[in-house]
């Protein structure tokens, strides 16, 4: 005789455990990537080639986490056929790992530019770039906190904080442009610094994507492509 659903409580319990594992795995991946960003900036500011190379080598761990979380999401979709809120949670998890994997790639790119810059004298003191990295790391951390806590207000804050990164990037661009105009010998170094600023801007963009997905997960409403971040949803 076929068992009725209420006679198989262990299935539901296992399903809930897997949903919690999904959230935990995403947080662990986010924490690892945040350390990758910090290591990349430390390698740049400290002119530490060994740290830059170690950070690049650790990127395989990011890729492995991405694959593991994808497999968990696909298993949940295939075996449990979730609906409504759970379905949005799982599909959001799939999308979040894509953004986080790309953030990991940006940290690697920073290290690659650092290795190049370390062969030449510093062009200028590092002020704006560490500040951009600090804001980007905070945005990533808060977007994942918003995901786990289903915190719409925090997700919207992350979206608004993207303006701070854009402002810092614009300020740095103008400063480096003046270096290049005044002395052509600074052009190569200035361009590499501009690349790094762009990588950090992209990290912030990916954190914003995560925050926007949190809003969709919780409310079922998309705020992507809006001209302005709404005060509430």
């Amino acid at each position: 005789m076929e068992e009725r659903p209420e006679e198989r409580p262990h299935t539901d319990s296992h399903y809930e455990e897997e949903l919690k594992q999904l959230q935990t795995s995403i947080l662990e991946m986010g924490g690892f990537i945040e350390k990758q960003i910090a290591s990349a900036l430390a390698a740049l500011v400290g002119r530490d080639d060994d740290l830059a190379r170690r950070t690049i080598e650790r990127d395989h761990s990011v890729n492995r986490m991405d694959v593991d979380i994808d497999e968990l999401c696909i298993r949940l979709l295939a075996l449990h056929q979730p609906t409504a809120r759970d379905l949005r949670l799982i599909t959001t998890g799939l999308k979040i790992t894509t953004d986080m994997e790309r953030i990991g790639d940006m940290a690697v790119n920073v290290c690659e530019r650092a290795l190049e810059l370390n062969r030449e004298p510093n062009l200028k003191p590092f002020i704006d770039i560490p500040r951009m990295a600090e804001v980007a790391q905070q945005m990533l951390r808060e977007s994942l906190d918003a995901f786990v806590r289903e915190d719409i207000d925090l997700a919207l804050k992350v979206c608004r904080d993207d303006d701070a990164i854009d402002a810092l990037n614009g300020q740095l661009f103008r400063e480096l442009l003046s270096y290049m105009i005044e002395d052509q010998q600074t052009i190569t170094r200035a361009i590499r610094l501009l690349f790094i600023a762009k990588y950090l801007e992209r990290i912030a963009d990916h954190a914003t994507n995560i925050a926007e997905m949190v809003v969709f997960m919780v409310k079922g409403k998309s705020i992507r492509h809006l001209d302005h971040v709404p005060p509430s949803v």
Side-chain angles (χ1 to χ4, degrees):
M1 184 176 65
E2 185 180 12
E3 290 179 312
R4 292 176 297 175
E6 60 267 28
E7 294 174 335
R8 293 182 281 118
H10 63 280
T11 301
D12 292 338
S13 174
H14 181 65
Y15 173 54
E16 291 298 327
E17 288 176 5
E18 287 192 310
L19 288 177
K20 290 179 181 177
Q21 180 57 48
L22 172 60
Q23 293 178 317
T24 299
S25 296
I26 288 173
L27 280 182
E28 289 174 350
M29 183 178 179
F32 187 89
I33 290 171
E34 191 178 337
K35 291 178 182 177
Q36 286 286 91
I37 300 169
S39 294
L41 263 291
L44 173 67
V45 175
R47 302 176 67 81
D48 190 333
D49 285 1
D50 289 338
L51 179 57
R53 294 189 183 99
R54 290 198 305 272
T55 305
I56 291 171
E57 290 170 1
R58 285 197 298 267
D59 188 56
H60 71 87
S61 297
V62 175
N63 296 333
R64 188 186 67 246
M65 292 177 190
D66 180 31
V67 171
D68 289 346
I69 293 172
D70 279 358
E71 289 178 349
L72 174 57
C73 290
I74 291 169
R75 186 168 67 248
L76 285 166
L77 290 170
L79 297 181
H80 300 285
Q81 299 180 345
T83 59
R85 191 77 164 265
D86 287 350
L87 178 61
R88 294 202 299 270
L89 168 64
I90 296 166
T91 54
T92 297
L94 278 168
K95 293 178 180 179
I96 283 176
T97 55
T98 298
D99 276 285
M100 290 202 295
E101 191 273 335
R102 289 173 181 167
I103 289 174
D105 290 342
M106 294 298 105
V108 168
N109 291 342
V110 170
C111 288
E112 291 170 345
R113 300 294 80 74
L115 288 170
E116 295 166 355
L117 284 164
N118 289 351
R119 302 189 188 107
E120 301 181 74
N122 274 335
L123 176 61
K124 64 184 289 295
F126 288 109
I127 299 172
D128 297 321
I129 283 178
R131 177 58 184 151
M132 287 182 70
E134 180 184 344
V135 175
Q137 285 176 270
Q138 179 179 321
M139 289 175 66
L140 173 61
R141 189 184 316 121
E142 290 183 343
S143 68
L144 293 175
D145 285 346
F147 169 71
V148 172
R149 289 155 41 186
E150 300 188 359
D151 189 332
I152 294 295
D153 291 336
L154 185 57
L156 293 174
K157 174 187 178 296
V158 171
C159 295
R160 287 190 290 269
D161 285 347
D162 191 49
D163 290 340
I165 287 282
D166 293 339
L168 287 168
N169 188 42
Q171 178 179 317
L172 182 61
F173 175 82
R174 291 187 294 272
E175 183 179 0
L176 291 173
L177 184 61
S178 68
Y179 274 92
M180 290 187 282
I181 292 171
E182 292 170 9
D183 184 356
Q184 291 186 353
Q185 292 184 350
T186 67
I187 289 176
T188 300
R189 284 173 288 169
I191 288 175
R192 284 171 176 152
L193 290 172
L194 286 173
F195 274 130
I196 289 172
K198 187 63 179 177
Y199 301 147
L200 295 173
E201 183 187 38
R202 291 299 298 144
I203 288 172
D205 288 342
H206 287 300
T208 300
N209 289 346
I210 293 171
E212 290 172 345
M213 287 185 278
V214 170
V215 173
F216 176 76
M217 179 185 75
V218 178
K219 292 291 189 177
K221 297 179 180 179
S222 176
I223 62 169
R224 296 179 64 192
H225 310 305
L226 295 180
D227 292 335
H228 302 285
V229 179
S232 62
V233 180

